[in-house]
Amino acid sequence: MGVVLNIENGKREVASIKDLIDLTAADMARVNKLILSKAGSDVEMIPEVANHLISSGGKRLRPMLTLASAQMFGYSGEGHVKLATSVEFMHTATLLHDDVVDESGMRRGKKTARMIWGNQASVLVGDFLLGQAFRMMVDVGSLEALDILSSAASIIAEGEVMQLAAAKNLETTEDEHFAVIKAKTAALFSAAAEVGPVIAQATRNDRAALRSYGMNLGLAFQLIDDALDYGGTSKDLGKNVGDDFREGKVTLPVILAYRRGTKAERTFWKRAIEDNVTDDAGLEKAIGLMTRHGAIADTIGRARHFGEIARDALAPLEATPQKSALIDVIDFCISRVS
């Protein structure tokens, strides 16, 4: 079930983050070692729950952004490894908490931690990882980096509450949805990209460029996820296709299809989202309505727009292998729908 999402005509080279992976490989080996060390605890359940998600095959894109952006400005200390690990712990904690809030059963092709150990353990281990993240931030000794990442943690929590307050609300506007994903997803991308130049003592303009790059990359990334839920694969998403629909999430494809639909179609959406009638037949109909009204294509178009803003943010910076790799990340995120 699903639609083929084609964003360009003709053949083209598939976008890749290979250069980013290669450039950060040595530092990521140190990050991975630190992750295993800091996820450890004498409380047996903590490393069990943490490692269940940490070892489940995520790309670790966010910490790689921190490492590459620090390298980009000639940083040669140890702080970028600790900050990158902090970023990954913040992301992992968010996933543990998200799965509880969303009552999710699968994550990256495996049962979620809450399905194995329960909601309480998932929340508390998420809290433990956040605590470890902040300890590493303090170890780095950069008050500005600590401020950026702690602010992001607060904004992410606000985004979660905003999403909860707007749950199943089909009157949610496009601007309101952007406010949610800016807080929930883009804030951490932005912070991950900005702390690199901060500890490298780059100029204010350079820091602002990486902050804007991360924010707009994060928006593009989330919008592509929104589109993929109605036409991607579990491999691309890291969760089951159609999960957003089954959980009654009002994402951009739903918002656009609902607003553009007929009265009868809006009745379908209300029954599906508000009354939770979300079986496979409903998902198939939802995809059909989105296709008819161009909702998926326009969601991808919005993602492309934010991707171009991210690209423009980096344009004034000196050409480096890291800059080129960060531009590749934009293309990779959007190419997931091709």
Side-chain angles (χ1 to χ4, degrees):
M1 184 186 299
V3 294
V4 176
L5 298 179
N6 222 340
I7 57 176
E8 286 188 6
N9 294 323
K11 293 183 179 179
R12 64 184 177 89
E13 187 177 341
V14 176
S16 167
I17 57 169
K18 182 182 183 302
D19 287 349
L20 180 70
I21 293 169
D22 290 346
L23 286 165
T24 60
D27 285 337
M28 275 305 298
R30 295 157 69 198
V31 168
N32 290 331
K33 187 175 179 181
L34 191 57
I35 283 172
L36 293 174
S37 169
K38 296 296 183 180
S41 169
D42 291 336
V43 181
E44 186 177 338
M45 188 180 287
I46 289 176
E48 284 182 357
V49 176
N51 289 328
H52 175 76
L53 187 51
I54 289 167
S55 64
S56 62
K59 292 183 180 67
R60 302 214 167 130
L61 180 58
R62 294 158 188 82
M64 285 194 285
L65 295 182
T66 299
L67 298 173
S69 64
Q71 291 176 3
M72 191 173 178
F73 298 100
Y75 182 75
S76 59
E78 297 288 324
H80 65 323
V81 171
K82 291 180 179 178
L83 291 178
T85 307
S86 297
V87 165
E88 182 64 11
F89 273 15
M90 288 173 66
H91 176 55
T92 303
T94 301
L95 297 182
L96 286 167
H97 291 164
D98 273 358
D99 288 341
V100 172
V101 172
D102 298 337
E103 299 181 347
S104 298
M106 297 289 288
R107 166 76 63 181
R108 296 173 182 163
K110 294 165 61 174
K111 283 186 178 181
T112 54
R114 64 173 287 271
M115 295 296 289
I116 300 171
W117 291 279
N119 287 338
Q120 296 94 331
S122 291
V123 170
L124 294 173
V125 172
D127 291 345
F128 171 81
L129 294 178
L130 282 175
Q132 293 291 72
F134 281 104
R135 288 177 67 182
M136 285 184 283
M137 292 175 213
V138 171
D139 285 346
V140 172
S142 168
L143 193 59
E144 191 170 1
L146 176 60
D147 179 49
I148 290 165
L149 287 170
S150 60
S151 295
S154 178
I155 291 166
I156 292 165
E158 286 179 338
E160 291 287 351
V161 177
M162 286 166 61
Q163 186 177 58
L164 195 61
K168 299 185 180 296
N169 179 13
L170 285 163
E171 301 305 321
T172 299
T173 67
E174 192 168 336
D175 284 346
E176 288 169 341
H177 181 62
F178 284 150
V180 170
I181 64 175
K182 186 175 182 179
K184 257 199 71 176
T185 302
L188 186 55
F189 273 89
S190 180
E194 186 181 3
V195 292
V198 163
I199 61 169
Q201 298 185 327
T203 68
R204 293 181 67 85
N205 286 343
D206 290 339
R207 297 176 191 185
L210 269 294
R211 179 170 65 246
S212 175
Y213 163 82
M215 180 63 70
N216 287 286
L217 175 68
L219 288 167
F221 184 92
Q222 185 57 54
L223 288 172
I224 294 300
D225 265 8
D226 285 357
L228 283 170
D229 196 71
Y230 291 94
T233 66
S234 296
K235 181 176 179 290
D236 291 324
L237 274 171
K239 60 180 183 178
N240 293 327
V241 174
D243 273 357
D244 286 352
F245 181 72
R246 295 182 191 94
E247 292 165 10
K249 287 186 178 178
V250 180
T251 58
L252 187 59
V254 175
I255 292 167
L256 296 178
Y258 176 76
R259 291 186 173 276
R260 295 170 181 177
T262 64
K263 184 176 180 180
E265 289 168 358
R266 284 194 289 272
T267 299
F268 160 78
W269 285 112
K270 287 180 178 177
R271 185 165 177 266
I273 302 299
E274 295 176 0
D275 299 337
N276 202 35
V277 182
T278 54
D279 54 16
D280 287 347
L283 176 59
E284 192 168 3
K285 181 170 182 178
I287 292 169
L289 293 177
M290 288 174 178
T291 304
R292 179 185 306 170
H293 294 293
I296 298 174
D298 285 352
T299 297
I300 296 166
R302 306 291 199 276
R304 283 180 167 279
H305 167 72
F306 288 117
E308 288 306 314
I309 297 174
R311 191 187 309 273
D312 288 342
L314 296 181
L317 302 181
E318 182 182 344
T320 64
Q322 289 80 13
K323 175 182 173 179
S324 177
L326 292 178
I327 290 171
D328 287 346
V329 174
I330 303 168
D331 296 329
F332 169 77
C333 286
I334 294 173
S335 74
R336 292 181 300 151
V337 295
S338 64

